[in-house]
Amino acid sequence: MTADPSHQQQQQLAIILGPDPSQFETLISHLMSSSNEQRSQAEALFNLCKQAHPDALLLKLVHVLQASTRPESRTMSVILLRRQLTRDDSFLWPRLSASTQSTLKSTLLTCLQSESTKSMSKKLCDTVSELASAILPDNQWPELLPFMFHCVTSENSKLQESALLIFAQLAHYIGETLVPQLTTLHSVFYQCLSNAAGKSGDVRIAALGASVNFIQCLTSASDRDRFQDLLPLMMQTLTEALNGGQEATAQEALELLIELAGTEPRFLRRQLVDVVGSMLQIAEAASLEEGTRHLAIEFVITLAEARERAPGMMRKLPQFIHRLFAILMNMLLDLEDDPDWHTADTENEDAGETSNYGFGQECLDRLSISLGGNTIVPVASELFPSYLVAPEWQKHHAVHIALAQIAEGCSKVMVQNLEQVVSMVLNSFQDPHPRVRWAAINAVGQLSTDLGPNLQEKYHQRVLPALAGAMDDFQNPRVQAHAASAVLNFSENCTPDILVPYLDGIVSKLLVLLQNGKQMVQEGALTALASVADSSQEQFQKYYDAVMPYLKAILVNANDKANRMLRAKSMECISLVGMAVGKDKFRDDAKQVMEVLMSLQGSEMEADDPTASYMLQAWARLCKCLGQDFLPYMNVVMPSLLQSAQLKPDVTITSADSDAEIDEDDESIEMITVGDKRIGIKTSVLEEKATACNMLCCYADELKEGFFPWIDQVAPTLVPLLKFYFHEEVRKAAVSAMPELLRSAKLAVEKGQSQGHNESYIKQLSDYIIPALVDALHKEPEVEICASILDALNECVQSSGPLLDENQVRCIVDEIKQVVTASSSRKQERAERAKAEDFDAEEGELLKEENEQEEELFDLVGDCLGTLIKTFKASFLPFFDELSSYITPMLGKDKTAEERRIAICIFDDIAEHCREAALKYYDTYVPFLLEACNDESSDVRQAAVYGVGLCAEYGGSVFKPLVGEALSRLDMVIRNPNSQHSDNMMAYDNAVSALGKICQFHRDSIDASQLVPAWLGCLPIKGDLIEAKVVHDQLCSMVERSDRELLGPNNQYLPKIVAVFAEVICAGKDLATEQTTSRMVNLLRQLQQTLPPSTLASTWSSLQPQQQLALQFILSS
């Protein structure tokens, strides 16, 4: 609350609220003043009135509304009334006396009846709706609904429209309050939508809006079905507006129907054929405005995209998909052959493109992503050939543009038909029209991204020479530049062995293009060189001396405004080439390059200069290349980098339904709707911020302890960005940086480079970072970023480990419970979606992919718990007890293999790190473990048999009764005919290891003379290299103590033991530690000296010839 008004202010208020109405009207006009000072004073007085005299203020506003002769004062008064009567922080209603409340309610309705101007009527409807949505649910306005039903059934079309506008808003705000009136509303909407009574277009559109909102607020499908008979009337509203030439009305109707298609697509299902048919008719009608046709297409695409609410529904309409695809292809023909395109003096790639062309492109992309390749590819295959044989170049162009647009959504199907796709595109590299050649090259670039790496592996020998040929098209610089860009796309998905044979040709052509007069061609060549270097790595060294002088020349000389982008791309190229060839080759040039960058760093740059963001990335690559040698430059780099990371988003906020328009077509602004707010954000600022955050992460990762001096500035910059919801990339970068910062601090303290700080600094940092990560995880809306946060949290706990206090562990555990619960409910929702009537195989595929993302999340939950168990051992068990009810269900038969594996791994960690304290869990978990030894999934089997080995080692007498069953389960794994298959190798090796542990720790419960030799017969193991080292060390120890059952009667198993030793020793460091290997060599030397020559000879002869040679060499050295 503000302080009480001063004496002078009280006098002012008395005058404003006094008997002379002109005083208050003056205040209202000052609130609209263009003078900031006058407006601020008026706002201060208005707020004082609100504080001190709310009743008088609102009665004055109502008086102006009723009596003023100035339209702008009346408009302002109704806007101010609405603000005071909206249920938010400034809601005045509860502070008003009963008589003021009563006057307000009746006056608003009276004004609504008598108002003659349309815009005022609308504003009055808004005010009534805001107040009603606050007080109607508590029955504080019993007169309102009878009044509205009276209006809507009157003869007066203006009153009908007003009542319908209010119904629409109430359905949106407090729909549940209207549900009891469902039957009456149905007949009212039916009456108002039908033209029988000669209703005006405005009334029908208002009725359409009210119907759409009301249908959306109904939660029960049977209630919604009662409104099915309105749908033909809704469509009639649209077609009659079009037939009457009222396209503005038709567009309003289309926008309402699009909203319905997005939120309640299944409402349209029964009449889908008619509705979609009408929409496509509109889209095909050449006489209609573009805007109208685009909205009709938007409706059909919206239905196709409503996957979560109506999975598979649109794929049941193949004939319509065919028609829609043809309409969109036709839009791609709306292209002028603009001379600007050919001169190629500017970046303007879209010279000659129309809004139809752009919309057609966007819709093809969306349609193919939402319907998938099985639906779209057959339709495209049918249509493309006729376009390719047509005489018009625009048709050839359209095919390749369409192909590039549908590639992402259709990639799985197109990969199976690569031959046809590649041949079709490469044929057009010879087309007489340069724009068609450009489009074919463009398609190659897009296909390289969407169909890689299959395309690269199978067709490099056709695609790369074709692109190289296109670089020779000196008559058409735009084609040359685009061929260079396509080399970039191709090489990004390419291994060095594919690329290297072509490098001589490609690099020499790119060097020619670098010296071309056209800037666009030079820029294309620079990005292509950068990418080729990045993909071929050290293989690029042989071109370094030829390429680098050109790159440095551009960096130094391209310094006027027109060449800014060229210089920026040269930085990118130099830094990527440097990283590819490595520090030794690059060192001398790096110094010169960094001198240039340092001089630029200090210069003033214009806001739209790309240099800054390219420079951020170039510095970070130079750091990656030079490692610790980069430290001296950090003082130059960091200040501006921190500044970029700290940029505030440039945000414009309006209410979702306000009249203030943000320019939605402005490419540089991204729109999001949050609640009832529309937020416009300048994307360039966000991108620079995201780049800077990523770079900070790179420096911390690369410089390790060398980054320590910057932690105190970087941590407070990045930690708040864990919850930067305007931009995912910023959040991801902030998340990735957290473990890097902790690691840097820890290494600096350990190596004595922490400027006098000790472990308490790590604790402080950890106390700042870990709770922030947990909080961010709690609020994160994206599953993929939740996974990244869990990953980062796991790494942070590994670094700070025992420094965590119990409270922090409690928060992490509580959050893990949340994650598991949320994930389960998402899976439950998907299971519900799978029951939809139109659900099909394509939807099944998509669901599977979404569920795989959940499994990644579970996997990381398992890792986090594993780290906590390793760190806190038995003191973590009280938390494990709480988590048990979340983990044991994951072992169920109905769960996926991955969930079962994760749950088993968590128990394995408990058994391994809590030892005796874990024995109390054996009853619950070991039966699952034994059963899972023979699971269908090899990953589950591996985790289970590994667990059996742990229980054998640490379970003592508790495990003893289970030895028999454990042996028969392990035997099944080991004797499986496919046990040596690569998929089963890890499970086999772990089963052999577990068998060894039973032999070692439960010898008294087994028939050792049978089992120990059987175990020896399985050695050596070679798949799981960690387990191999453990098992071979155990073998070595048993030989050292002359284990009777191992050597067998008369040392009969000695040849086998020597053969195992030979294989392990010959494998180098893979199968045993150096220590184990040298013990094996010593044992072999002892055998050489102690065994009779004949035994020795027969043992030796059982080895492979190369093993004999290797052993002789090792033993004699």
Side-chain angles (χ1 to χ4, degrees), residues 283 290-291 293-295 297 324-335 354-361 363-364 387 398:
E290 244 177 49
R293 297 168 67 190
H294 288 190
L295 284 169
I297 293 170
L324 177 59
F325 199 86
I327 293 168
L328 297 176
M329 286 296 290
N330 204 33
M331 292 179 118
L332 296 184
L333 303 180
D334 198 350
L335 185 66
T354 58
S355 64
N356 256 342
Y357 178 88
F359 186 70
Q361 269 190 305
C363 291
L364 280 167
Y387 265 59

PDB file of all heavy atoms in Angstrom, residues 283 290-291 293-295 297 324-335 354-361 363-364 387 398:
ATOM      1  N   ALA A 283      -9.297 -23.875 -50.992  1.00  0.00           N
ATOM      2  CA  ALA A 283      -7.869 -23.740 -51.315  1.00  0.00           C
ATOM      3  C   ALA A 283      -7.642 -23.754 -52.829  1.00  0.00           C
ATOM      4  O   ALA A 283      -6.703 -23.136 -53.325  1.00  0.00           O
ATOM      5  CB  ALA A 283      -7.088 -24.866 -50.652  1.00  0.00           C
ATOM      6  N   GLU A 290      -5.586 -14.694 -51.542  1.00  0.00           N
ATOM      7  CA  GLU A 290      -4.547 -15.613 -51.057  1.00  0.00           C
ATOM      8  C   GLU A 290      -4.736 -15.937 -49.579  1.00  0.00           C
ATOM      9  O   GLU A 290      -4.640 -17.079 -49.146  1.00  0.00           O
ATOM     10  CB  GLU A 290      -3.183 -14.943 -51.225  1.00  0.00           C
ATOM     11  CG  GLU A 290      -2.292 -15.662 -52.182  1.00  0.00           C
ATOM     12  CD  GLU A 290      -0.971 -14.935 -52.377  1.00  0.00           C
ATOM     13  OE1 GLU A 290      -0.336 -14.560 -51.384  1.00  0.00           O
ATOM     14  OE2 GLU A 290      -0.594 -14.739 -53.548  1.00  0.00           O
ATOM     15  N   GLY A 291      -5.013 -14.897 -48.777  1.00  0.00           N
ATOM     16  CA  GLY A 291      -5.140 -15.084 -47.318  1.00  0.00           C
ATOM     17  C   GLY A 291      -6.200 -16.111 -46.969  1.00  0.00           C
ATOM     18  O   GLY A 291      -6.030 -16.937 -46.068  1.00  0.00           O
ATOM     19  N   ARG A 293      -7.338 -18.583 -48.955  1.00  0.00           N
ATOM     20  CA  ARG A 293      -6.905 -19.921 -49.386  1.00  0.00           C
ATOM     21  C   ARG A 293      -5.855 -20.475 -48.423  1.00  0.00           C
ATOM     22  O   ARG A 293      -5.858 -21.668 -48.089  1.00  0.00           O
ATOM     23  CB  ARG A 293      -6.364 -19.857 -50.814  1.00  0.00           C
ATOM     24  CG  ARG A 293      -7.456 -19.434 -51.800  1.00  0.00           C
ATOM     25  CD  ARG A 293      -6.892 -19.072 -53.156  1.00  0.00           C
ATOM     26  NE  ARG A 293      -6.335 -20.236 -53.824  1.00  0.00           N
ATOM     27  CZ  ARG A 293      -5.605 -20.168 -54.939  1.00  0.00           C
ATOM     28  NH1 ARG A 293      -5.339 -19.001 -55.489  1.00  0.00           N
ATOM     29  NH2 ARG A 293      -5.132 -21.273 -55.489  1.00  0.00           N
ATOM     30  N   HIS A 294      -4.963 -19.611 -47.982  1.00  0.00           N
ATOM     31  CA  HIS A 294      -3.928 -20.071 -47.035  1.00  0.00           C
ATOM     32  C   HIS A 294      -4.568 -20.561 -45.730  1.00  0.00           C
ATOM     33  O   HIS A 294      -4.129 -21.560 -45.161  1.00  0.00           O
ATOM     34  CB  HIS A 294      -2.942 -18.943 -46.733  1.00  0.00           C
ATOM     35  CG  HIS A 294      -2.022 -18.622 -47.883  1.00  0.00           C
ATOM     36  ND1 HIS A 294      -0.941 -17.783 -47.766  1.00  0.00           N
ATOM     37  CD2 HIS A 294      -2.022 -19.038 -49.173  1.00  0.00           C
ATOM     38  CE1 HIS A 294      -0.325 -17.691 -48.941  1.00  0.00           C
ATOM     39  NE2 HIS A 294      -0.967 -18.445 -49.806  1.00  0.00           N
ATOM     40  N   LEU A 295      -5.619 -19.849 -45.262  1.00  0.00           N
ATOM     41  CA  LEU A 295      -6.258 -20.273 -44.003  1.00  0.00           C
ATOM     42  C   LEU A 295      -6.930 -21.641 -44.175  1.00  0.00           C
ATOM     43  O   LEU A 295      -6.914 -22.473 -43.266  1.00  0.00           O
ATOM     44  CB  LEU A 295      -7.276 -19.228 -43.535  1.00  0.00           C
ATOM     45  CG  LEU A 295      -6.672 -17.968 -42.908  1.00  0.00           C
ATOM     46  CD1 LEU A 295      -7.741 -16.896 -42.724  1.00  0.00           C
ATOM     47  CD2 LEU A 295      -6.029 -18.276 -41.551  1.00  0.00           C
ATOM     48  N   ILE A 297      -5.966 -24.026 -46.116  1.00  0.00           N
ATOM     49  CA  ILE A 297      -4.887 -25.034 -46.081  1.00  0.00           C
ATOM     50  C   ILE A 297      -4.393 -25.204 -44.646  1.00  0.00           C
ATOM     51  O   ILE A 297      -4.168 -26.329 -44.169  1.00  0.00           O
ATOM     52  CB  ILE A 297      -3.727 -24.606 -47.006  1.00  0.00           C
ATOM     53  CG1 ILE A 297      -4.186 -24.637 -48.472  1.00  0.00           C
ATOM     54  CG2 ILE A 297      -2.507 -25.504 -46.801  1.00  0.00           C
ATOM     55  CD1 ILE A 297      -3.215 -24.005 -49.448  1.00  0.00           C
ATOM     56  N   LEU A 324      -4.374 -32.139 -51.552  1.00  0.00           N
ATOM     57  CA  LEU A 324      -3.641 -31.084 -50.827  1.00  0.00           C
ATOM     58  C   LEU A 324      -2.212 -30.978 -51.359  1.00  0.00           C
ATOM     59  O   LEU A 324      -1.686 -29.876 -51.572  1.00  0.00           O
ATOM     60  CB  LEU A 324      -3.638 -31.404 -49.322  1.00  0.00           C
ATOM     61  CG  LEU A 324      -2.833 -30.424 -48.449  1.00  0.00           C
ATOM     62  CD1 LEU A 324      -3.376 -29.008 -48.586  1.00  0.00           C
ATOM     63  CD2 LEU A 324      -2.868 -30.848 -46.988  1.00  0.00           C
ATOM     64  N   PHE A 325      -1.597 -32.132 -51.591  1.00  0.00           N
ATOM     65  CA  PHE A 325      -0.210 -32.130 -52.078  1.00  0.00           C
ATOM     66  C   PHE A 325      -0.141 -31.410 -53.433  1.00  0.00           C
ATOM     67  O   PHE A 325       0.751 -30.605 -53.697  1.00  0.00           O
ATOM     68  CB  PHE A 325       0.308 -33.567 -52.204  1.00  0.00           C
ATOM     69  CG  PHE A 325       1.813 -33.663 -52.240  1.00  0.00           C
ATOM     70  CD1 PHE A 325       2.540 -33.724 -51.061  1.00  0.00           C
ATOM     71  CD2 PHE A 325       2.512 -33.670 -53.446  1.00  0.00           C
ATOM     72  CE1 PHE A 325       3.928 -33.809 -51.078  1.00  0.00           C
ATOM     73  CE2 PHE A 325       3.901 -33.745 -53.480  1.00  0.00           C
ATOM     74  CZ  PHE A 325       4.614 -33.812 -52.287  1.00  0.00           C
ATOM     75  N   ALA A 326      -1.143 -31.681 -54.281  1.00  0.00           N
ATOM     76  CA  ALA A 326      -1.166 -31.037 -55.609  1.00  0.00           C
ATOM     77  C   ALA A 326      -1.347 -29.526 -55.465  1.00  0.00           C
ATOM     78  O   ALA A 326      -0.717 -28.740 -56.178  1.00  0.00           O
ATOM     79  CB  ALA A 326      -2.299 -31.636 -56.440  1.00  0.00           C
ATOM     80  N   ILE A 327      -2.187 -29.112 -54.501  1.00  0.00           N
ATOM     81  CA  ILE A 327      -2.392 -27.662 -54.269  1.00  0.00           C
ATOM     82  C   ILE A 327      -1.073 -27.019 -53.847  1.00  0.00           C
ATOM     83  O   ILE A 327      -0.703 -25.934 -54.325  1.00  0.00           O
ATOM     84  CB  ILE A 327      -3.469 -27.454 -53.164  1.00  0.00           C
ATOM     85  CG1 ILE A 327      -4.837 -27.914 -53.658  1.00  0.00           C
ATOM     86  CG2 ILE A 327      -3.514 -25.998 -52.722  1.00  0.00           C
ATOM     87  CD1 ILE A 327      -5.898 -28.034 -52.571  1.00  0.00           C
ATOM     88  N   LEU A 328      -0.363 -27.678 -52.937  1.00  0.00           N
ATOM     89  CA  LEU A 328       0.890 -27.105 -52.431  1.00  0.00           C
ATOM     90  C   LEU A 328       1.960 -27.062 -53.520  1.00  0.00           C
ATOM     91  O   LEU A 328       2.713 -26.089 -53.635  1.00  0.00           O
ATOM     92  CB  LEU A 328       1.393 -27.912 -51.213  1.00  0.00           C
ATOM     93  CG  LEU A 328       0.444 -27.896 -50.002  1.00  0.00           C
ATOM     94  CD1 LEU A 328       0.982 -28.803 -48.895  1.00  0.00           C
ATOM     95  CD2 LEU A 328       0.247 -26.488 -49.467  1.00  0.00           C
ATOM     96  N   MET A 329       2.019 -28.118 -54.339  1.00  0.00           N
ATOM     97  CA  MET A 329       2.974 -28.116 -55.454  1.00  0.00           C
ATOM     98  C   MET A 329       2.669 -26.950 -56.402  1.00  0.00           C
ATOM     99  O   MET A 329       3.552 -26.281 -56.913  1.00  0.00           O
ATOM    100  CB  MET A 329       2.898 -29.438 -56.230  1.00  0.00           C
ATOM    101  CG  MET A 329       3.517 -30.631 -55.539  1.00  0.00           C
ATOM    102  SD  MET A 329       5.299 -30.474 -55.287  1.00  0.00           S
ATOM    103  CE  MET A 329       5.905 -30.624 -56.969  1.00  0.00           C
ATOM    104  N   ASN A 330       1.390 -26.721 -56.605  1.00  0.00           N
ATOM    105  CA  ASN A 330       0.970 -25.639 -57.484  1.00  0.00           C
ATOM    106  C   ASN A 330       1.420 -24.270 -56.940  1.00  0.00           C
ATOM    107  O   ASN A 330       1.773 -23.373 -57.701  1.00  0.00           O
ATOM    108  CB  ASN A 330      -0.556 -25.700 -57.619  1.00  0.00           C
ATOM    109  CG  ASN A 330      -1.015 -25.054 -58.901  1.00  0.00           C
ATOM    110  OD1 ASN A 330      -0.323 -25.112 -59.917  1.00  0.00           O
ATOM    111  ND2 ASN A 330      -2.165 -24.413 -58.849  1.00  0.00           N
ATOM    112  N   MET A 331       1.405 -24.145 -55.625  1.00  0.00           N
ATOM    113  CA  MET A 331       1.846 -22.874 -55.013  1.00  0.00           C
ATOM    114  C   MET A 331       3.330 -22.624 -55.279  1.00  0.00           C
ATOM    115  O   MET A 331       3.784 -21.492 -55.355  1.00  0.00           O
ATOM    116  CB  MET A 331       1.585 -22.902 -53.503  1.00  0.00           C
ATOM    117  CG  MET A 331       0.124 -22.891 -53.158  1.00  0.00           C
ATOM    118  SD  MET A 331      -0.121 -22.953 -51.375  1.00  0.00           S
ATOM    119  CE  MET A 331      -0.938 -21.411 -51.141  1.00  0.00           C
ATOM    120  N   LEU A 332       4.092 -23.724 -55.383  1.00  0.00           N
ATOM    121  CA  LEU A 332       5.533 -23.569 -55.629  1.00  0.00           C
ATOM    122  C   LEU A 332       5.819 -23.034 -57.038  1.00  0.00           C
ATOM    123  O   LEU A 332       6.947 -22.644 -57.334  1.00  0.00           O
ATOM    124  CB  LEU A 332       6.265 -24.902 -55.444  1.00  0.00           C
ATOM    125  CG  LEU A 332       6.260 -25.512 -54.036  1.00  0.00           C
ATOM    126  CD1 LEU A 332       7.110 -26.781 -54.020  1.00  0.00           C
ATOM    127  CD2 LEU A 332       6.762 -24.533 -52.987  1.00  0.00           C
ATOM    128  N   LEU A 333       4.796 -23.040 -57.885  1.00  0.00           N
ATOM    129  CA  LEU A 333       4.999 -22.525 -59.255  1.00  0.00           C
ATOM    130  C   LEU A 333       4.897 -20.997 -59.291  1.00  0.00           C
ATOM    131  O   LEU A 333       5.202 -20.371 -60.295  1.00  0.00           O
ATOM    132  CB  LEU A 333       3.957 -23.114 -60.211  1.00  0.00           C
ATOM    133  CG  LEU A 333       3.905 -24.645 -60.280  1.00  0.00           C
ATOM    134  CD1 LEU A 333       2.828 -25.104 -61.250  1.00  0.00           C
ATOM    135  CD2 LEU A 333       5.269 -25.208 -60.693  1.00  0.00           C
ATOM    136  N   ASP A 334       4.452 -20.415 -58.179  1.00  0.00           N
ATOM    137  CA  ASP A 334       4.250 -18.965 -58.137  1.00  0.00           C
ATOM    138  C   ASP A 334       5.595 -18.292 -57.898  1.00  0.00           C
ATOM    139  O   ASP A 334       5.936 -17.903 -56.779  1.00  0.00           O
ATOM    140  CB  ASP A 334       3.252 -18.650 -57.014  1.00  0.00           C
ATOM    141  CG  ASP A 334       2.662 -17.259 -57.170  1.00  0.00           C
ATOM    142  OD1 ASP A 334       3.171 -16.505 -58.013  1.00  0.00           O
ATOM    143  OD2 ASP A 334       1.709 -16.937 -56.436  1.00  0.00           O
ATOM    144  N   LEU A 335       6.381 -18.217 -58.948  1.00  0.00           N
ATOM    145  CA  LEU A 335       7.783 -17.796 -58.824  1.00  0.00           C
ATOM    146  C   LEU A 335       8.142 -16.989 -60.063  1.00  0.00           C
ATOM    147  O   LEU A 335       7.941 -17.449 -61.180  1.00  0.00           O
ATOM    148  CB  LEU A 335       8.638 -19.073 -58.759  1.00  0.00           C
ATOM    149  CG  LEU A 335      10.122 -18.967 -58.506  1.00  0.00           C
ATOM    150  CD1 LEU A 335      10.387 -18.439 -57.110  1.00  0.00           C
ATOM    151  CD2 LEU A 335      10.782 -20.341 -58.651  1.00  0.00           C
ATOM    152  N   THR A 354       7.192 -15.586 -54.014  1.00  0.00           N
ATOM    153  CA  THR A 354       5.962 -14.916 -53.578  1.00  0.00           C
ATOM    154  C   THR A 354       5.527 -15.494 -52.235  1.00  0.00           C
ATOM    155  O   THR A 354       6.090 -16.486 -51.765  1.00  0.00           O
ATOM    156  CB  THR A 354       4.850 -15.209 -54.596  1.00  0.00           C
ATOM    157  OG1 THR A 354       4.715 -16.642 -54.660  1.00  0.00           O
ATOM    158  CG2 THR A 354       5.196 -14.674 -55.964  1.00  0.00           C
ATOM    159  N   SER A 355       4.458 -14.894 -51.651  1.00  0.00           N
ATOM    160  CA  SER A 355       3.999 -15.436 -50.361  1.00  0.00           C
ATOM    161  C   SER A 355       3.393 -16.824 -50.572  1.00  0.00           C
ATOM    162  O   SER A 355       3.459 -17.683 -49.699  1.00  0.00           O
ATOM    163  CB  SER A 355       2.990 -14.493 -49.718  1.00  0.00           C
ATOM    164  OG  SER A 355       1.841 -14.417 -50.534  1.00  0.00           O
ATOM    165  N   ASN A 356       2.795 -17.060 -51.746  1.00  0.00           N
ATOM    166  CA  ASN A 356       2.279 -18.401 -52.053  1.00  0.00           C
ATOM    167  C   ASN A 356       3.399 -19.426 -52.017  1.00  0.00           C
ATOM    168  O   ASN A 356       3.273 -20.510 -51.442  1.00  0.00           O
ATOM    169  CB  ASN A 356       1.697 -18.417 -53.483  1.00  0.00           C
ATOM    170  CG  ASN A 356       0.192 -18.383 -53.455  1.00  0.00           C
ATOM    171  OD1 ASN A 356      -0.424 -18.678 -52.440  1.00  0.00           O
ATOM    172  ND2 ASN A 356      -0.410 -18.013 -54.574  1.00  0.00           N
ATOM    173  N   TYR A 357       4.502 -19.067 -52.659  1.00  0.00           N
ATOM    174  CA  TYR A 357       5.659 -19.972 -52.748  1.00  0.00           C
ATOM    175  C   TYR A 357       6.174 -20.300 -51.341  1.00  0.00           C
ATOM    176  O   TYR A 357       6.390 -21.472 -50.996  1.00  0.00           O
ATOM    177  CB  TYR A 357       6.738 -19.282 -53.587  1.00  0.00           C
ATOM    178  CG  TYR A 357       8.022 -20.059 -53.737  1.00  0.00           C
ATOM    179  CD1 TYR A 357       8.178 -20.980 -54.770  1.00  0.00           C
ATOM    180  CD2 TYR A 357       9.081 -19.868 -52.860  1.00  0.00           C
ATOM    181  CE1 TYR A 357       9.360 -21.696 -54.920  1.00  0.00           C
ATOM    182  CE2 TYR A 357      10.267 -20.584 -52.994  1.00  0.00           C
ATOM    183  CZ  TYR A 357      10.397 -21.482 -54.023  1.00  0.00           C
ATOM    184  OH  TYR A 357      11.563 -22.191 -54.157  1.00  0.00           O
ATOM    185  N   GLY A 358       6.345 -19.276 -50.520  1.00  0.00           N
ATOM    186  CA  GLY A 358       6.866 -19.496 -49.152  1.00  0.00           C
ATOM    187  C   GLY A 358       5.922 -20.342 -48.317  1.00  0.00           C
ATOM    188  O   GLY A 358       6.341 -21.246 -47.589  1.00  0.00           O
ATOM    189  N   PHE A 359       4.604 -20.063 -48.445  1.00  0.00           N
ATOM    190  CA  PHE A 359       3.612 -20.808 -47.665  1.00  0.00           C
ATOM    191  C   PHE A 359       3.570 -22.266 -48.127  1.00  0.00           C
ATOM    192  O   PHE A 359       3.480 -23.194 -47.319  1.00  0.00           O
ATOM    193  CB  PHE A 359       2.238 -20.136 -47.839  1.00  0.00           C
ATOM    194  CG  PHE A 359       1.160 -20.725 -46.970  1.00  0.00           C
ATOM    195  CD1 PHE A 359       1.189 -20.540 -45.591  1.00  0.00           C
ATOM    196  CD2 PHE A 359       0.121 -21.467 -47.514  1.00  0.00           C
ATOM    197  CE1 PHE A 359       0.194 -21.091 -44.781  1.00  0.00           C
ATOM    198  CE2 PHE A 359      -0.872 -22.018 -46.718  1.00  0.00           C
ATOM    199  CZ  PHE A 359      -0.827 -21.825 -45.336  1.00  0.00           C
ATOM    200  N   GLY A 360       3.666 -22.468 -49.446  1.00  0.00           N
ATOM    201  CA  GLY A 360       3.659 -23.837 -49.975  1.00  0.00           C
ATOM    202  C   GLY A 360       4.818 -24.652 -49.426  1.00  0.00           C
ATOM    203  O   GLY A 360       4.656 -25.815 -49.015  1.00  0.00           O
ATOM    204  N   GLN A 361       5.988 -24.026 -49.393  1.00  0.00           N
ATOM    205  CA  GLN A 361       7.177 -24.706 -48.843  1.00  0.00           C
ATOM    206  C   GLN A 361       6.958 -25.121 -47.394  1.00  0.00           C
ATOM    207  O   GLN A 361       7.180 -26.267 -47.009  1.00  0.00           O
ATOM    208  CB  GLN A 361       8.367 -23.746 -48.870  1.00  0.00           C
ATOM    209  CG  GLN A 361       9.198 -23.808 -50.120  1.00  0.00           C
ATOM    210  CD  GLN A 361      10.487 -23.011 -49.936  1.00  0.00           C
ATOM    211  OE1 GLN A 361      10.463 -21.845 -49.593  1.00  0.00           O
ATOM    212  NE2 GLN A 361      11.602 -23.637 -50.165  1.00  0.00           N
ATOM    213  N   CYS A 363       4.249 -25.520 -45.706  1.00  0.00           N
ATOM    214  CA  CYS A 363       3.208 -26.529 -45.490  1.00  0.00           C
ATOM    215  C   CYS A 363       3.664 -27.924 -45.905  1.00  0.00           C
ATOM    216  O   CYS A 363       3.284 -28.914 -45.281  1.00  0.00           O
ATOM    217  CB  CYS A 363       1.932 -26.143 -46.232  1.00  0.00           C
ATOM    218  SG  CYS A 363       1.162 -24.705 -45.495  1.00  0.00           S
ATOM    219  N   LEU A 364       4.454 -28.023 -46.972  1.00  0.00           N
ATOM    220  CA  LEU A 364       4.960 -29.343 -47.376  1.00  0.00           C
ATOM    221  C   LEU A 364       5.814 -29.938 -46.257  1.00  0.00           C
ATOM    222  O   LEU A 364       5.735 -31.139 -45.964  1.00  0.00           O
ATOM    223  CB  LEU A 364       5.788 -29.216 -48.661  1.00  0.00           C
ATOM    224  CG  LEU A 364       4.979 -29.123 -49.954  1.00  0.00           C
ATOM    225  CD1 LEU A 364       5.859 -28.676 -51.107  1.00  0.00           C
ATOM    226  CD2 LEU A 364       4.318 -30.471 -50.291  1.00  0.00           C
ATOM    227  N   TYR A 387       5.567 -33.469 -63.496  1.00  0.00           N
ATOM    228  CA  TYR A 387       6.189 -32.140 -63.358  1.00  0.00           C
ATOM    229  C   TYR A 387       7.546 -32.109 -64.066  1.00  0.00           C
ATOM    230  O   TYR A 387       7.931 -31.125 -64.662  1.00  0.00           O
ATOM    231  CB  TYR A 387       6.376 -31.805 -61.876  1.00  0.00           C
ATOM    232  CG  TYR A 387       5.252 -30.985 -61.271  1.00  0.00           C
ATOM    233  CD1 TYR A 387       3.942 -31.450 -61.263  1.00  0.00           C
ATOM    234  CD2 TYR A 387       5.502 -29.747 -60.705  1.00  0.00           C
ATOM    235  CE1 TYR A 387       2.906 -30.708 -60.695  1.00  0.00           C
ATOM    236  CE2 TYR A 387       4.487 -28.981 -60.134  1.00  0.00           C
ATOM    237  CZ  TYR A 387       3.185 -29.471 -60.143  1.00  0.00           C
ATOM    238  OH  TYR A 387       2.185 -28.721 -59.585  1.00  0.00           O
ATOM    239  N   ALA A 398      10.023 -26.826 -58.880  1.00  0.00           N
ATOM    240  CA  ALA A 398       9.109 -27.179 -57.782  1.00  0.00           C
ATOM    241  C   ALA A 398       9.397 -28.568 -57.224  1.00  0.00           C
ATOM    242  O   ALA A 398       9.327 -28.805 -56.019  1.00  0.00           O
ATOM    243  CB  ALA A 398       7.665 -27.091 -58.266  1.00  0.00           C
TER     244      ALA A 398
END
